[in-house]
Amino acid sequence: MKAKITLRRGRVLGVLNGLQKSVRTNVILRGALATRREYHDKSFGFRKPREYVFPDYTQSQLDNRVTNSNLLRYVDAMRTHGHRAAHIDPLDLIHREEVAALSPERYGLTNPEQRFNVDGILWTKRVGEAVEGSGEEWWTLSEIRDHLRRVYVGNIAYEYMHSPSKSERLWFSHLLESQSPPLPADEPPFQIDADKKKRTHELLARSEVLDNFLQVKFPNLKRYGLEGGESMIPALDSLFCAASQAGVQHIMLAMPHRGRLNLLTDLLKYSPVALFHKIKGGYEIPEELGAEGDVLSHLFSSPKLRYPGTNHDLKVSLLPNPSHLEAVNPVALGKTRAKQYALLKTSPEDCQLGDRVMCVQLHGDASFAGQGVIMETFGLSNLPHFTSGGSVHLVVDNNIGYTTPASNARSSLYCSDVGKMVNTPILHVNGDHPEDVAKAMDIAFRYRNYFRKDIIVDLLVYRRWCHNELDLPSITSPLMYQQIAARKSVPALYESKLINEEVLSAQDIVSVRESYKSHLETELAKVDGYFPTASMLQDQWSGMVWPASEAAERDPPTGVKIQVLEKVGKASVAVPDGFTIHPKLERHVKNRLKSIESGTGIDFATAEALAFGSLMLEGIDVRISGQDVGRGTFSHRHAMLVNQETEGVIVPLNDELKADGKLELANSSLSEMAVLGFEYGASWERPNLLPIWEAQFGDFFNGAQVIIDTFISSAETKWLRQSGIVLTLPHGLDGAGPEHSSSRIERMLQLTNDSYSKPAESANINMHVAYPTTPAQYFHLLRRQICRNYRKPLVIAGPKGILRLSSASSSLAELAADTAFKPVIADLTAGASAERVVFLSGKVYYELLKEREDRRLSERVSLVRIEELAPFPFGHVEHVISNLYPNATEYVWFQEEPRNQGGYGHVAPRIEGLLEEVRGWKGKLRYVGRRESALPAPGVGKLYREQQKAIIEAVFEGL
C-alpha cells in the first residue's frame, strides 16, 4: 500500500511503501519550541525543526499488544539491547556479558512452535500465515526469534530505542524488520550487486596499495594510514552514491588526519604527484603567493564525482583542518548552511535545508568522546538558526586513542554515546565486513534524508600501526597487537570472499593492485616537474582579489549618503500598527528617531543599525550570532522587537527596508567554540555575507580560542582561505566582575603577523584588531569588511562602557559619503604647544579627557587614540609625531589593563622605533597603567577604583 507524505507547509516529498497503514508526515515544532513558536516565526533564517509523525496504532493493534504483552516485551528488548550481543568488534575486545534480556524464556515464552499474531508488534513482510482482511499475521516463536536475531544481532547493531520520538522508532523498526521498507517509490532498496562489489574491492585494494607504496618509498613518513580501517573508503563511497541519487549536489566533508591521504587519492581525485611533491618537502601552493602551507595530514580537495543513476555531478569539499582534531566540525556545519543561504531568501516556505547540500563529519573514537566541541556542535544541530538539514557522522573507531585504550579514554560503553544528548540514532558496524558497512551508511543516509537530523555510524576497526607508522604499539597494548599482527588485512579478507563468490578471480585481484601500483610509480616519477596551482579565487570568490596583490583596495569608501542613512535609521525602529513593544523601548525608539532627525547623538547601536541597513540595501546579507544578540547583551541593540501581547517577533530592518540583503539575528546556545566555528564556516562560503560573532562578554572568546588560533588567525597563510568574520568582544574594566569584560587584546595582537617596522604598501597582515571609541568608527569598520575587494578577519574590542555615553556619540555627517575609518584619532586641541603626548586605545580616553579638562591641561597634554592596533598604523602615528606635536618632550602609553596585558607589548616597540626614526628619540616610551597582574582588573570594586584613580592621575603627574 502506498501513502503520500504531506507537509503542513511545503511540497509533497515522496511516497512510502510497505506500511500497513496510511502514514502522514507533518512539519511540527518539538518540545519547548512548540510553546514559543510565534516568537521566532518572523525572524529571517529561522527554520522550523522537521519531524515525521506516524499515525498511532489501530485499536486492534493496541488490543493485540495487550494480549501478547510478553511477546511485545521480548521484541522491544531485542530492539533495545540487541546491539550488546551483535558481532561488531573485529578484534572482539569490547567486554560483553551475556544479555539475559535477549532470551525469550525471560518473558515466559518457552514453546518455539507457539504461534503469535505479530500485527502491531513486529513489522515484516507477510511471510507468515496471514488472516485475509483482518490485518492479523501469525508467526511461530522460533520464526520471530530467528528473524529478530538476523536483524539485530549481526554485523550491524542499532541503537534507536532511546529516541523520544515514536515516529523515529517506528521508522527504524519498519525499515530494519520489513523486507518491504518504507521507501519512496523511485528509491530502490539497498542491494550490492557484482559491480558494486567490484567497486568496493577496488577502493579497498587501492587504499592498501597506497599505504604499502608509501611505506616502501618513504619509510620514515608519518602518514596516518588506514591499515585496519580501509572500510572507511567504501563507507563514504556508498554514502556519496546514495546522496547523489537522492538529489544532493554538494557535500561538505570534515575529517581528522587518519586515512586522509587514502581518501584524497583513492576517492577524491587528489593528484598522487602533488602528494609526493609535498612529501618530498615541496609547496602544495604557489610560492609566489607568500603563504606558508600546512602539514601533510591537512591537505584538502574539492572534486566533482559522478555516480550511476544520476545526471548531475556531486561536488565533495573536503575542508582543510587543523591538528586540533574535531575543531573543523562546526566550521563544516556553518559552511553547509551558508551554501543553502540563498534558498532561505528566495524560497522561505518551500526550501527544505539539506535537499541539495549535506554535511558529513568523520571522527576518531577518542576525540569523539573526549572533545567538548563535539557536544557543542551536536547542540547546534537542530537549532532553528543553525541546522543545515542533518549531518551524517562516521566514527572511525579504533578502540584506542594514541596509545590510550578505550577503558581509559571514555566513561561510556561506546564512544558514540555522546550523541544521545540530542537523541541521535547510532549504528555500530564491523569494519571487517565492507558490505555491511555500505548498508549501514545507506540506512544512515535514508534516516538523515527523511528526518533531516544527525545520525552516527560507529565503524569499529583497528589500527595496524597504532597512532602512526613509527610507533611501537606492543609496548602499551601487547595483546591487542598480537591479534592484529596475526590477522589478514580487510582488503585481503574481502578478496577471499569475492573469490569464493566467483565475483573476482585471483588474477583480477592481482591486476587491480598491480595497475594502481604502476600508476603510483608513474606519478612519483613526475615530481621534479611538478608545480602547484592555487584554487582560492573560484566560484563565489571569483570577484575577490588576493589581499597582497596590487589590486587590493585597502581603504575603500565606506561613507553613505545622508538620505540613505535617514531612511535606514527610521526603518530600524519602525513599529507596525497593532504591535505592542515593551514600555521601556518606547524611549529607545524615540531617542533613535530624534538622533536621526537632528543628525546628532548617534550612539553605537544606531550606528550599527545604519551599517547593517545600508549594506542590506546594497544586496549584502548580515548575520550576527551569539547569546542574546537580538536584544543585545547590554540591552542596547533591540534589532528584534517582541510583541508584548503575542510574543510575535519583527526585525524592522527586514520588514521595513524590504532590501535584497537580509539581517539574520541568530540567538545561539550557550556555546562559544562551536558557534564561532559555525560563523567562520559561513564566512568561507559566502564573501557577500557580513558574519559577526558577538561574545556575551569579552573573555567568553576563551571558550572559542581553538577556532581563533587554528582557523581565524592562520587559515589564509596555511590554506589560502580568506574570511570576513567579525568578532565583537565587549571590553572594559569596571571592577564589577571584570573577568567578564576583558577581550584579552594582548592575545589577539600576539596572533597577528603585524610588522615591527614600517611595512611595504602590499604587506599582508593576517587579521585586524581594532578598539573603536566612536559610533562612526564602528560604522566604518563594519562597512569596510564588505567594501574591500578581499576579506580579512576583524576583532573588535567592543566599547562596553560607552555604548550610551553622550560624549562618545557621533553625527550623521561622520557617517556620510566621503568619510571613512580613521586608524588614529589625533587631538588637535593642544597642537604645537603640547609637551606630553599620550597614546592610548579605547573607552578610557573619555575618563582622561574629563580629568584633563578638570586640570586645565588641554594645551599641554595631547591624547592620541590608536583605534586600529593591528595592522599598526605606522604612517598615521609618524604624522602625529613629526607634524602635529613638534615640541613634545615626553611620550606616554596609557592603558587601564595591567602591563602584561592590553596593547602595551604590541605598540611600545613600534612607537619607539618611529620615535627613533623621526625624532632621534633614544628613550623608552613611558608606560602608565596597572602593574603586572594575573587578572584583567581586581574583582574588589574598592580596590579597582583606587587603582583607576591612581593611574589616571599618573598621566598628568609633574604638570
Side-chain angles (χ1 to χ4, degrees), residues 253-257 260 294-295 297-300 318-329 684 710-711 718-719:
L253 179 61
M255 72 175 297
H257 48 261
R260 194 178 186 96
D294 201 1
V295 299
S297 54
H298 298 169
L299 296 175
F300 52 95
L318 173 59
L319 273 57
N321 71 300
S323 293
H324 202 286
L325 300 174
E326 304 290 345
V328 71
N329 297 317
W684 265 4
T710 60
F711 285 98
K718 293 187 293 190
W719 311 314

Coordinates of all heavy atoms in Angstrom, one line a residue, residues 253-257 260 294-295 297-300 318-329 684 710-711 718-719:
L253 N 32.7 18.0 3.7 CA 33.3 16.9 4.4 C 34.3 17.3 5.4 O 35.3 18.1 5.0 CB 33.8 15.9 3.4 CG 34.5 14.6 3.9 CD1 33.6 13.8 4.7 CD2 35.1 13.8 2.7
A254 N 34.2 17.0 6.7 CA 35.2 17.3 7.7 C 35.8 16.0 8.2 O 35.0 15.1 8.5 CB 34.6 18.1 8.8
M255 N 37.1 16.0 8.4 CA 37.7 14.7 8.9 C 39.1 15.1 9.5 O 39.7 16.1 9.2 CB 37.9 13.7 7.8 CG 39.0 14.0 6.8 SD 39.2 12.6 5.6 CE 39.8 11.3 6.7
P256 N 39.5 14.2 10.5 CA 40.9 14.4 11.0 C 41.9 13.7 10.1 O 41.6 13.5 8.9 CB 40.7 13.6 12.4 CG 39.7 12.6 12.1 CD 38.7 13.2 11.1
H257 N 43.1 13.4 10.6 CA 44.2 13.0 9.7 C 44.2 11.6 9.4 O 44.7 11.2 8.3 CB 45.5 13.4 10.4 CG 45.6 13.0 11.8 ND1 45.4 13.9 12.9 CD2 45.9 11.8 12.4 CE1 45.6 13.2 14.0 NE2 45.9 12.0 13.7
R260 N 43.3 10.2 5.7 CA 43.1 11.4 4.9 C 43.8 11.2 3.5 O 43.2 11.5 2.5 CB 43.6 12.7 5.6 CG 43.0 13.9 4.9 CD 43.5 15.1 5.7 NE 42.9 16.4 5.2 CZ 41.9 17.0 5.8 NH1 41.2 16.4 6.8 NH2 41.4 18.1 5.3
D294 N 50.7 24.0 5.0 CA 50.4 23.3 6.2 C 51.0 21.9 6.1 O 51.5 21.5 5.0 CB 48.8 23.2 6.4 CG 48.4 22.9 7.8 OD1 49.3 22.8 8.7 OD2 47.2 22.8 8.1
V295 N 50.8 21.1 7.1 CA 51.4 19.8 7.2 C 50.6 18.8 6.2 O 49.5 19.1 5.8 CB 51.4 19.2 8.6 CG1 52.2 20.1 9.5 CG2 50.0 19.1 9.1
S297 N 49.1 16.0 6.6 CA 47.8 15.4 7.0 C 46.7 16.4 7.0 O 45.6 16.1 7.5 CB 47.9 14.7 8.4 OG 48.4 15.6 9.3
H298 N 46.9 17.6 6.5 CA 45.8 18.6 6.5 C 45.5 19.0 5.0 O 44.7 20.0 4.8 CB 46.2 19.9 7.2 CG 46.5 19.7 8.7 ND1 47.0 20.6 9.5 CD2 46.2 18.6 9.5 CE1 47.1 20.1 10.7 NE2 46.6 18.9 10.7
L299 N 45.9 18.3 4.1 CA 45.6 18.5 2.7 C 44.1 18.4 2.4 O 43.4 17.7 3.1 CB 46.4 17.6 1.7 CG 47.9 17.7 1.8 CD1 48.6 16.6 0.9 CD2 48.4 19.1 1.3
F300 N 43.7 19.1 1.3 CA 42.2 19.1 1.1 C 42.0 19.1 -0.4 O 42.9 19.3 -1.2 CB 41.6 20.3 1.7 CG 42.2 21.6 1.4 CD1 41.7 22.4 0.4 CD2 43.3 22.0 2.1 CE1 42.4 23.6 0.1 CE2 43.9 23.3 1.9 CZ 43.4 24.0 0.8
L318 N 36.3 18.4 0.8 CA 37.0 18.1 2.0 C 37.7 19.3 2.5 O 38.6 19.9 1.9 CB 38.0 17.0 1.7 CG 38.9 16.6 2.9 CD1 38.1 16.1 4.1 CD2 40.0 15.6 2.5
L319 N 37.2 19.8 3.7 CA 37.7 21.0 4.2 C 39.1 20.9 4.8 O 39.4 19.8 5.4 CB 36.8 21.6 5.3 CG 35.6 22.4 4.8 CD1 34.7 21.7 3.8 CD2 34.8 22.9 6.0
P320 N 39.9 21.9 4.7 CA 41.2 21.9 5.4 C 40.9 21.9 6.9 O 39.9 22.5 7.3 CB 41.9 23.2 4.9 CG 40.8 24.1 4.4 CD 39.8 23.1 3.9
N321 N 41.8 21.4 7.7 CA 41.5 21.3 9.1 C 42.9 21.4 9.9 O 43.9 21.1 9.4 CB 40.8 20.0 9.5 CG 41.8 18.8 9.4 OD1 42.3 18.5 8.4 ND2 42.0 18.1 10.5
P322 N 42.8 21.9 11.1 CA 44.0 22.0 12.0 C 44.2 20.6 12.7 O 43.4 19.7 12.6 CB 43.7 23.1 12.9 CG 42.2 22.9 13.1 CD 41.6 22.5 11.8
S323 N 45.3 20.6 13.4 CA 45.6 19.4 14.2 C 44.7 19.2 15.4 O 44.6 18.1 16.0 CB 47.1 19.4 14.7 OG 47.9 19.3 13.6
H324 N 44.0 20.2 15.8 CA 43.0 20.1 16.9 C 41.8 19.4 16.3 O 40.8 20.0 15.9 CB 42.7 21.5 17.5 CG 42.2 21.4 18.9 ND1 40.9 20.9 19.2 CD2 42.7 21.7 20.1 CE1 40.7 21.0 20.5 NE2 41.8 21.4 21.0
L325 N 41.9 18.1 16.4 CA 41.1 17.2 15.6 C 39.7 17.6 15.2 O 39.3 17.7 14.1 CB 41.0 15.8 16.4 CG 42.4 15.2 16.6 CD1 42.3 14.0 17.5 CD2 43.1 14.8 15.3
E326 N 38.8 17.8 16.2 CA 37.4 18.0 15.9 C 37.0 19.4 15.7 O 35.8 19.7 15.5 CB 36.6 17.4 17.0 CG 36.9 15.9 17.4 CD 36.4 15.0 16.3 OE1 35.6 15.4 15.4 OE2 36.8 13.8 16.3
A327 N 37.9 20.4 15.7 CA 37.6 21.8 15.6 C 36.9 22.1 14.3 O 36.2 23.1 14.1 CB 38.8 22.7 15.8
V328 N 37.2 21.3 13.2 CA 36.7 21.6 11.9 C 35.2 21.3 11.8 O 34.5 21.8 10.9 CB 37.4 20.8 10.8 CG1 37.1 19.3 10.9 CG2 37.2 21.4 9.4
N329 N 34.6 20.5 12.7 CA 33.2 20.1 12.6 C 32.2 21.2 12.5 O 31.3 21.3 11.6 CB 32.9 19.1 13.6 CG 33.7 17.8 13.5 OD1 33.9 17.3 12.4 ND2 34.2 17.3 14.6
W684 N 33.7 31.4 5.1 CA 34.4 30.7 4.0 C 33.5 30.6 2.7 O 34.0 30.7 1.6 CB 34.8 29.3 4.4 CG 36.2 29.3 5.0 CD1 37.1 30.3 5.2 CD2 36.9 28.1 5.4 NE1 38.2 29.9 5.7 CE2 38.2 28.5 5.9 CE3 36.6 26.8 5.5 CZ2 39.1 27.6 6.4 CZ3 37.5 25.9 6.0 CH2 38.8 26.3 6.4
T710 N 43.6 28.4 15.3 CA 43.8 27.4 14.3 C 43.1 27.7 13.0 O 43.5 27.2 11.9 CB 43.5 26.0 14.7 OG1 42.1 25.9 15.0 CG2 44.3 25.6 15.9
F711 N 42.1 28.6 13.0 CA 41.4 29.0 11.8 C 41.6 30.5 11.5 O 42.2 30.9 10.5 CB 39.9 28.6 11.9 CG 39.6 27.2 11.7 CD1 39.5 26.3 12.8 CD2 39.6 26.6 10.5 CE1 39.2 25.0 12.7 CE2 39.3 25.2 10.3 CZ 39.1 24.4 11.4
K718 N 47.9 29.3 5.8 CA 48.1 27.8 5.6 C 47.4 27.3 4.4 O 47.9 26.5 3.6 CB 47.5 27.1 6.8 CG 48.2 27.3 8.1 CD 47.7 26.4 9.2 CE 46.3 26.8 9.7 NZ 45.9 26.1 10.9
W719 N 46.2 27.9 4.1 CA 45.3 27.2 3.1 C 44.8 28.2 2.0 O 44.0 27.8 1.2 CB 44.1 26.6 3.8 CG 44.4 25.7 4.9 CD1 45.4 24.8 5.0 CD2 43.8 25.7 6.2 NE1 45.4 24.2 6.2 CE2 44.4 24.7 7.0 CE3 42.7 26.4 6.8 CZ2 44.0 24.5 8.3 CZ3 42.3 26.2 8.1 CH2 42.9 25.2 8.8

